[in-house]
Amino acid sequence: MLEDNFIIAMEAEDILRTLGVETVDIATNVAQARQLVEEHVFDFALLDVNLGSETSFDFANILVSRETPFGFVSGYGESAMFPGSHRDRPRITKPFNETSMSQLLASVSGAADADATPAEASSKASSKASR
């Protein structure tokens, strides 16, 4: 998970674990996230859009090139700020809860494994990053 607010990241981690995700790591900036994708293969990623002085859109392009499924977690409900290439990506708005996170996981994992049920997809998925 790429999230610059540590409290929100910890809340997301708790929810993801409740949903059956075994490994959750958190990157607080794009540089950390880039390092992690160089070192590991990921089942999926969740990206906060606004990371203070930067956004996650350029990093999202890296995930696209690696064919890593991902979705956005954002305080922005409007599609207007999303680049055209990412407007149709799965996303939920903050504040999120277990239901909305489950729906996002199903959307993201469904893109990677259309035959898996949301529970199966959640149990197979892991979101990596660094603290």
Side-chain angles (χ1 to χ4, degrees):
M1 168 167 248
L2 175 54
E3 169 63 62
D4 64 332
N5 183 307
F6 193 70
I7 293 171
I8 293 172
M10 296 304 295
E11 180 181 355
E13 178 180 20
D14 287 345
I15 291 172
L16 289 167
R17 289 188 182 279
T18 298
L19 294 173
V21 176
E22 294 177 13
T23 304
V24 178
D25 295 310
I26 301 161
T28 59
N29 59 54
V30 171
Q32 288 177 352
R34 282 184 181 165
Q35 181 178 352
L36 286 164
V37 298
E38 292 296 324
E39 297 170 356
H40 305 282
V41 175
F42 301 97
D43 295 325
F44 73 91
L46 301 177
L47 310 177
D48 181 18
V49 172
N50 185 351
L51 302 168
S53 63
E54 61 187 340
T55 68
S56 62
F57 296 131
D58 287 338
F59 181 71
N61 294 334
I62 293 170
L63 295 177
V64 168
S65 71
R66 293 175 175 273
E67 298 182 4
T68 302
F70 67 93
F72 291 105
V73 179
S74 174
Y76 304 102
E78 294 294 320
S79 295
M81 77 161 296
F82 283 76
S85 59
H86 297 306
R87 283 193 184 140
D88 293 330
R89 294 279 173 192
R91 73 172 171 257
I92 57 174
T93 57
K94 296 176 187 175
F96 49 79
N97 58 34
E98 189 173 322
T99 300
S100 61
M101 187 67 76
S102 177
Q103 291 169 345
L104 180 62
L105 277 181
S107 294
V108 171
S109 297
D113 186 0
D115 296 328
T117 66
E120 289 170 338
S122 294
S123 69
K124 293 193 302 188
S126 62
S127 173
K128 304 246 183 194
S130 129
R131 284 189 199 149

